[in-house]
Amino acid sequence: MTVTPDSHVLLSPAQMARVAEDSSVAKATNRPLKSFLLGLTAGGYIALGFVFFTTTQVGAQDMPWGVARLLGGLVFSTGIVLVVLTGAELFTSSTLTLTARASGRITWTQLLRNWGVVYVANFIGALVIAALVYLAGTWQSADGGWGAVVLDTAQAKVSHPFLEALVLGILCNLMVCLAVWAAYSGRTTTDKILALTLPIALFVSAGFEHSVANMFMIPLGILIKGQAGPEFWSSTGLAPADFADLTWGSFLVDNLLPVTLGNIVGGGVMVGIMYWTIFRYLERPRPEALTTGC
């Protein structure tokens, strides 16, 4: 039975768990085309959040490091807020469909199909925004400072050892799915925005790794590295050789693979299965409670 509480009353943790499960069932049983289109928008929104982040980091070396990172994290949360408020489908939060599978309300085929469709759609949506940002010349802003932030950020992301990238992915989606889960308690737009913002700001400011965000930032860095002219390199004081590790191979193998696996563990297991166990499995009537005796 779907939870339909009073619209003016905050959901309890147990009700949130039921809403999360119902939402997961709806996602996994959507028509694939609908999931794909919603996935395109989500990939684009997360990319736009990173555009906002990048803009705030241009010249931020003159600020205390933590303050600059906090600012970047706060503005990046715009992307997640747009995803939640518009009903877009984001792979990282779709890992919560493990709750519906644990309850037996969807099959493994439905779960994996949803993950695959949304993942590919997120990737395409992020790449579209990367291409548009490149063609718009945004990366040349501030005498190339904007593009320099992209290159430095992308280079750092592909430089993590596999295990480190995996764990950073776990930590990231722990925060993303906690944010989405907390937003289920909100009854107004303001409630949801407040529930989402600080957990997202935490993961971004701490440098945790989000697979869909990386689908935008690293390809854009690769594009700038390969296409920027001499005037860009001279104005930024950088050189293509500084970003030798920034390749498609390093992106896919050294970053996207471990980060994606980490995102599944952090969101699907550490949030989805944990809260499903607490509020769904452990609250089932126990057999002895159903028996009567004299």
Side-chain angles (χ1 to χ4, degrees):
M1 182 176 70
T2 301
V3 174
T4 55
D6 188 302
S7 61
H8 300 292
V9 179
L10 294 179
L11 299 187
S12 69
Q15 289 174 322
M16 289 160 60
R18 184 57 191 252
V19 169
E21 185 181 310
D22 290 341
S23 175
S24 296
V25 171
K27 287 184 177 183
T29 56
N30 262 341
R31 295 174 62 181
L33 178 58
K34 181 178 180 180
S35 295
F36 181 79
L37 294 175
L38 290 172
L40 284 178
T41 63
Y45 297 154
I46 295 302
L48 291 172
F50 234 151
V51 169
F52 204 173
F53 166 90
T54 302
T55 303
T56 66
Q57 301 305 291
V58 178
Q61 62 271 16
D62 297 327
M63 301 171 63
W65 183 84
V67 175
R69 299 292 294 184
L70 173 61
L71 175 60
L74 288 172
V75 301
F76 176 84
S77 66
T78 301
I80 300 287
V81 168
L82 289 173
V83 167
V84 171
L85 295 184
T86 63
E89 287 207 36
L90 185 65
F91 170 75
T92 46
S93 57
S94 289
T95 60
L96 291 173
T97 53
L98 280 172
T99 60
R101 179 67 197 99
S103 289
R105 298 176 65 187
I106 62 172
T107 66
W108 280 113
T109 298
Q110 289 172 315
L111 181 147
L112 293 175
R113 180 182 63 195
N114 176 255
W115 283 9
V117 168
V118 171
Y119 192 85
V120 170
N122 287 172
F123 207 157
I124 295 173
L127 290 175
V128 167
I129 298 299
L132 292 175
V133 167
Y134 178 81
L135 293 172
T138 305
W139 56 282
Q140 301 178 71
S141 300
D143 294 324
W146 203 95
V149 171
V150 172
L151 286 167
D152 288 338
T153 304
Q155 176 69 24
K157 288 179 176 295
V158 299
S159 299
H160 295 302
F162 191 95
L163 178 60
E164 189 174 283
L166 175 73
V167 175
L168 288 170
I170 292 173
L171 291 167
C172 167
N173 214 29
L174 172 64
M175 298 315 305
V176 171
C177 286
L178 281 174
V180 172
W181 196 280
Y184 285 132
S185 71
R187 311 307 295 154
T188 69
T189 298
T190 300
D191 293 341
K192 293 180 182 295
I193 292 174
L194 290 175
L196 290 165
T197 299
L198 289 181
I200 301 306
L202 188 160
F203 105 68
V204 176
S205 61
F208 301 156
E209 293 285 330
H210 189 278
S211 57
V212 180
N214 293 352
M215 292 171 183
F216 164 78
M217 185 62 87
I218 301 178
L220 181 58
I222 294 171
L223 186 59
I224 293 172
K225 173 194 168 187
Q227 300 300 320
E231 64 283 356
F232 171 83
W233 300 110
S234 61
S235 66
T236 59
L238 302 173
D242 299 332
F243 306 99
D245 295 333
L246 198 52
T247 65
W248 284 104
S250 62
F251 165 46
L252 296 173
V253 176
D254 299 330
N255 181 273
L256 195 58
L257 174 60
V259 169
T260 299
L261 294 174
N263 286 169
I264 292 171
V265 174
V269 178
M270 294 182 69
V271 177
I273 295 301
M274 173 63 77
Y275 281 115
W276 176 85
T277 301
I278 296 169
F279 293 113
R280 301 290 292 141
Y281 179 76
L282 293 179
E283 291 196 358
R284 291 175 174 175
R286 291 174 294 176
E288 59 269 26
L290 300 177
T291 59
T292 57
C294 34

